[in-house]
Amino acid sequence: MKFTVVHKTEYHYQTPASESYGELRVCPKSDVSQKVSRRKLVIEPDVKVQRYTDFFGNQVEYFSIPRRHQKLSISSRAEVQTQPVVMPDHAKEITVAEARQVMRARLLEHYPYLQPTSLVPLRSAIEPLKVHHMCRDTELFADAIMRLNTWIFENFTYKSGFTEITTPLNQIIKHKKGVCQDFAHLMLSILRTYKLPARYVSGYIEAYDPETTDPNLIGATASHAWVEVALPGGNWIGLDPTNNQIAGERHVKVAVGRDYHDVAPLTGTYKGAQDQKLEVIVSVKRRKGK
């Protein structure tokens, strides 16, 4: 599928900011599942934008505004073509224990995605869920991770505004409510507790499929979040527990990391301004033709 993805962010300051610095992770990736054909970034006030690739392979764009400004506007526009994604056969033919053993050969690569973080605590945090039945050694690897994806979808309720990014995982578990990043962090905690490498993914999702009457997908009003699980063959498979599906053609990937902090769309600082108003608009529109 072909999409035009627009991500607009605007800060309005009650009193002018004397300077600003920001880092952006809003440029979609080109990889085996998608290709970026065009990309345009516009920042107002007009400034020079520099780029680097971070530890996780994400493109980071950064800028500095050394002068007074009342507003900061950032507009990222990309044209992306996505590909269908299916669970590979080898993941359906190997048990969890066998998959874990095979992936030990890639421990250096997978190490960051096995560790706890402030947003993804392990073991003791998920003890109240009684998930000892999840990811059993003898279960087929593909069945186990898909069953976990479905279990989160069926046992937790999507509730916009119920949590913030700083809400601890134990509160998500206690109330069984949250949003996409909460469900991604929960899934990461369970998978890593079982020593299965998994990483956080930020991106976008097409909510409404104009060619079907299926229910709309959840999480399209802003950046979306899901999980990628390492596969024994060396690749990754995306799973979206918010929508109980493999992350496929209607998902546009932007960045990966250990948790949300590694992939936040915009981080930075400003000086001088006392109050600010933030507005974020995300648009994912399907394109036709070439």
Side-chain angles (χ1 to χ4, degrees):
M1 293 181 182
K2 298 178 181 178
F3 295 102
T4 296
V5 180
V6 179
H7 187 146
K8 293 182 178 180
T9 305
E10 286 193 355
Y11 285 94
H12 296 267
Y13 305 112
Q14 186 173 1
T15 57
S18 58
E19 61 180 290
S20 297
Y21 172 82
E23 284 195 352
L24 301 168
R25 289 172 174 81
V26 293
C27 180
K29 285 177 170 289
S30 285
D31 60 14
V32 295
S33 64
Q34 65 183 40
K35 181 180 179 181
V36 180
S37 57
R38 295 180 184 177
R39 169 82 193 317
K40 184 176 183 180
L41 177 68
V42 177
I43 299 178
E44 297 178 359
D46 187 30
V47 292
K48 181 179 180 180
V49 177
Q50 296 178 290
R51 296 169 177 81
Y52 72 91
T53 301
D54 69 12
F55 175 80
F56 304 102
N58 306 314
Q59 181 176 143
V60 183
E61 297 161 309
Y62 63 100
F63 61 89
S64 177
I65 305 174
R67 57 188 183 276
R68 292 169 67 85
H69 52 287
Q70 192 86 40
K71 181 180 79 170
L72 171 61
S73 175
I74 302 166
S75 177
S76 171
R77 181 185 181 93
E79 293 183 5
V80 184
Q81 181 167 356
T82 61
Q83 303 294 330
V85 178
V86 296
M87 186 71 71
D89 289 339
H90 66 262
K92 303 175 184 177
E93 300 166 352
I94 192 171
T95 67
V96 169
E98 291 168 336
R100 191 183 293 118
Q101 183 176 5
V102 169
M103 288 187 286
R104 286 196 187 110
R106 308 179 75 95
L107 181 59
L108 186 61
E109 173 189 342
H110 292 156
Y111 183 81
Y113 308 116
L114 288 164
Q115 305 308 306
T117 71
S118 60
L119 295 176
V120 186
L122 305 187
R123 198 166 299 279
S124 60
I126 61 172
E127 187 64 30
L129 290 173
K130 308 297 182 184
V131 291
H132 307 294
H133 61 286
M134 290 290 180
C135 304
R136 295 187 298 265
D137 285 355
T138 56
E139 188 173 9
L140 291 177
F141 178 76
D143 291 347
I145 60 177
M146 290 300 295
R147 186 163 64 89
L148 173 58
N149 200 51
T150 299
W151 182 84
I152 293 173
F153 175 79
E154 292 178 344
N155 287 274
F156 287 77
T157 302
Y158 186 93
K159 182 71 173 178
S160 179
F162 184 77
T163 60
E164 300 177 348
I165 193 58
T166 55
T167 302
L169 187 60
N170 61 7
Q171 292 301 305
I172 312 301
I173 292 172
K174 177 181 178 180
H175 297 286
K176 290 186 166 53
K177 295 179 182 179
V179 291
C180 55
Q181 67 258 26
D182 301 315
F183 303 153
H185 287 145
L186 172 61
M187 191 169 187
L188 291 175
S189 179
I190 296 172
L191 288 167
R192 292 178 190 173
T193 293
Y194 281 97
K195 306 299 183 184
L196 297 174
R199 60 192 185 188
Y200 186 100
V201 186
S202 69
Y204 311 106
I205 190 171
E206 180 195 40
Y208 169 70
D209 186 342
E211 298 179 359
T212 73
T213 57
D214 292 342
N216 290 356
L217 298 183
I218 299 171
T221 56
S223 295
H224 191 50
W226 59 95
V227 168
E228 282 187 340
V229 187
L231 295 174
N235 294 321
W236 300 76
I237 186 76
L239 298 178
D240 181 354
T242 303
N243 292 290
N244 190 27
Q245 61 180 244
I246 290 176
E249 282 186 284
R250 296 171 65 190
H251 291 72
V252 176
K253 182 164 63 173
V254 172
V256 300
R258 295 163 298 181
D259 60 24
Y260 172 83
H261 289 321
D262 289 332
V263 303
L266 173 61
T267 58
T269 61
Y270 63 91
K271 294 182 180 179
Q274 297 299 313
D275 295 297
Q276 65 176 5
K277 180 181 178 182
L278 170 63
E279 182 179 11
V280 179
I281 300 174
V282 170
S283 170
V284 179
K285 293 185 178 181
R286 194 179 301 191
R287 298 166 49 229
K288 294 182 179 180
K290 297 182 178 180

